[in-house]
Amino acid sequence: MDYLQLPESITEKSTPGGQILAESKQRSSSDNINSPQTSDNTCIPKDFSCIYNKDLLPALSGEDTTKDFFQELVNILLSYVCKSFRRSSKVLDFHHPHQLREGLEGFSLELPDQPENLEQLLVDCRDTLKYGVKTGHPRFFNQLSSGLDVIGLAGEWLTSTANTNMFTYEVSPVFILMEEVLLRKMQEIVGWSEEEGDGVFCPGGTMSNLYSVLLARYHFFPEVKTKGMTALPRLILFTSAHSHYSVKKSAAVLGIGSENVVVVKCNDRGKMIPAELESSIITAKDQGCVPFYVNATAGTTVYGAFDPLNAIADICESHGLWLHVDAAWGGGLLMSKRHRVKLQGIERAWSVTWNPHKMMGAPLQCSAILVKKRGLLKDCNQMCAEYLFQTDKHYDTSYDTGDKTIQCGRHVDVFKLWLMWKAKGSEGFGSQVNKCLENAEHLFDKLKQRPDFELVFKSKPEHSNVCFWYIPPSLRNMPPGPERNRRLHEVAPKIKAKMMEQGMAMIGYQPLGDKVNFFRCVFSNPATQTEDVDYLLEEIASLGHDMQNASGLRPICESGLRPLYESDCGSD
C-alpha cells in the first residue's frame, strides 16, 4: 500500500444550523482493503453515520465494526504522518484562540449531552490534527523536542493499547523489566559502574530535576521526611544564570524557597564560571547558610552551552555538595562518539536528568532521573501503601517500583524508547545526533556569510542551538545603541507572526539578559536536511524584507520618527 499517496479520507461541510455532514472521498481500492467493492473494483466507502460508540467492542458482534473504525482512523493518522514529512505541506494552519473556540468550518470544541456518531468522531479526529502543529515537519525548529519517529509512534500506540501502570510488577511485568534494562544502559553510558545507579522515568525534565533536589535534601537531612523544613537550617542551592527555570521551581515546590537559589554568573558563551560558584558557596557559608546542592547544565535551553563539569565536580567534592547534571537537552550527545566529550565529567554527578524525547527523538514524554546511590529513591519516597505494596507477594517485590516515585500511577514511557533502541541500536542514535549537529554547523556557516543576519555569539555552536538576529535594511547602517536595540527587539516577533500565519516554517525567539529578541533555531529532527536550513533563512529574509515599504524607507509618523514597519504608524 502506497501511503505516501493516501488522500484525506473524510470531508465535511457545514449546514446552516452548524451541523457537520461528513462524507467519504473517493479512494483507490488499495486504500480501502476492508471496504466492499463493486463489479468494477471501485470501493464503497464505509458509512459510519449510523454507527455509535455502543456498537464497538465490547458490544456483542462489535469486532468487525471496531476493525472498520480503526482502519478508517489509521487512514487518517497515516495521512497526517505522511503530510508531516512533505515539505509542500504546512507546519501549521494557524488560527487565533477565539476562532477555534467559536468553531471553524463546523469544528466545535463544545461537548454534547447526546452521543454523536462515529462519522462525526472521525471528522473531529481529522480536524484536531488539521488545526494542530506538525512538530514532525522538517521545517519545525521551534522546540527542543521535534521529529516524528515511526517506530517510537508504534511503541506509543502499543503502550496506549496495553493501558497499564508502572507501579507494580504484577500489572506491568514486561514494562518494569524493560525500564530496568534501559536505565542500566543509560547509567552505563553516563559512566557509572554496574554496582551503582538507580533511576526512574518521569513526566519530563522539570520533574526529573525536582527529584534531584528532593533526593539531595533527603540524603543530607533524612529527618525532613517526617519533621519537615522546620527541623532544617537555611538550605542554599546553586545553579547557573542560563540554567532551566525548573531548578527555582523545585526549590519553591519543596519549601526551600526560590530566594535560596543562588544564580551563578556565566561567561559570554553561557557557561557557569567555576570561580563564581566557589565564591558563592563561601559567601553562603559565611552568612550562616548551609549549601547542599549544585545544578550544572549540559546543554542550556537557549545557547546550548555545556557547563565545565569536571571543574564544578571538583568544587562540589571540596565542599561536600550534591552535584546534579541537568542533561535534559544535552544528554543525547552521550550517544555520539564524536560529541560525548562535551559532557566529560558527567560520571562524577550524583544525579543526572536525561530526556530521550529531545535529541534522541522519542515521542513525548520520555525523561529519566538517574541516581548514583542505589536505594536512595526508595528510602526518600517510600510510604508502604499496603493495598499496593504487600510484602507477602509470591514474586520478588523489589521489582515493584511505585514506592520509589512521588507519583502513584505512572505512565509507561519506556516501551517506545526500548523499541527505538532495538530499531536503531546505539550507533543509530549516534548518527542521528551527529546529523542534527551538522545541520547546526551548516546554519552557522551560512549566517557568517550573510550581511542581513548577525550571530548572537561568534563561536561555533556546541550543541544544535544557533542564535541569531535578522537585520532589516533600515537597521544595517544604524550605529549600535538603545534606539537600534529598541527597533531590533521588534523584528523577530513580527517575522514570527507572519511565519505562523503563512505556516510553512516555525522557529522560536526570545530575549536573554541584555540581548534583545533573537531567533533560536534548534535541530533535533532527523528528517531535517540542509535544504530546510537554507529555506528557513530565505523565509526569514523574505518576510523581514517584505515588511519594509516599496522604496525601502520607513514612512515618517506624526511623531517625526521613522518606525521600523509601516504598521507602526498609529495613534499610540
Side-chain angles (χ1 to χ4, degrees), residues 488-510:
L488 185 58
H489 188 65
E490 300 172 356
V491 174
K494 294 189 176 183
I495 292 177
K496 170 72 177 282
K498 277 190 165 293
M499 185 180 290
M500 289 182 66
E501 288 167 1
Q502 291 190 5
M504 298 307 295
M506 197 167 173
I507 183 176
Y509 71 86
Q510 68 284 303

Side-chain angles (χ1 to χ4, degrees), residues 443-498:
L443 174 57
F444 176 75
D445 291 339
K446 286 284 186 178
L447 289 167
K448 287 195 301 182
Q449 300 166 12
R450 296 189 57 147
D452 49 346
F453 289 90
E454 184 178 318
L455 287 157
V456 172
F457 44 84
K458 307 301 181 184
S459 58
K460 182 179 175 181
E462 286 189 296
H463 206 328
S464 73
N465 308 49
V466 184
C467 302
F468 58 93
W469 291 282
Y470 170 71
I471 312 297
S474 59
L475 297 184
R476 286 172 203 166
N477 296 319
M478 193 173 183
E483 180 61 15
R484 183 181 188 272
N485 285 342
R486 182 185 70 80
R487 298 185 183 187
L488 185 58
H489 188 65
E490 300 172 356
V491 174
K494 294 189 176 183
I495 292 177
K496 170 72 177 282
K498 277 190 165 293

Side-chain angles (χ1 to χ4, degrees), residues 325-376:
V325 174
D326 178 3
W329 176 222
L333 271 64
L334 291 168
M335 306 302 297
S336 167
K337 295 176 182 177
R338 185 187 309 168
H339 295 288
R340 65 169 291 122
V341 67
K342 297 170 184 176
L343 294 94
Q344 193 170 21
I346 193 172
E347 71 280 356
R348 300 173 66 184
W350 293 24
S351 58
V352 172
T353 290
W354 182 351
N355 285 7
H357 69 230
K358 290 194 168 96
M359 183 54 67
M360 294 172 71
L364 284 161
Q365 61 196 26
C366 192
S367 174
I369 175 68
L370 308 177
V371 186
K372 200 167 195 176
K373 185 176 180 182
R374 188 172 295 176
L376 187 62

Side-chain angles (χ1 to χ4, degrees), residues 9 30 42 51 78 87 95 128 150 168 176 195 239 286-287 307 360 383 438 491 509 556 560:
S9 55
S30 62
T42 59
I51 304 175
L78 284 173
R87 288 164 178 82
H95 293 84
T128 298
V150 174
T168 61
I176 289 284
E195 292 74 31
T239 192
D286 290 343
Q287 293 174 347
D307 287 341
M360 294 172 71
M383 287 296 166
E438 286 165 7
V491 174
Y509 71 86
I556 298 177

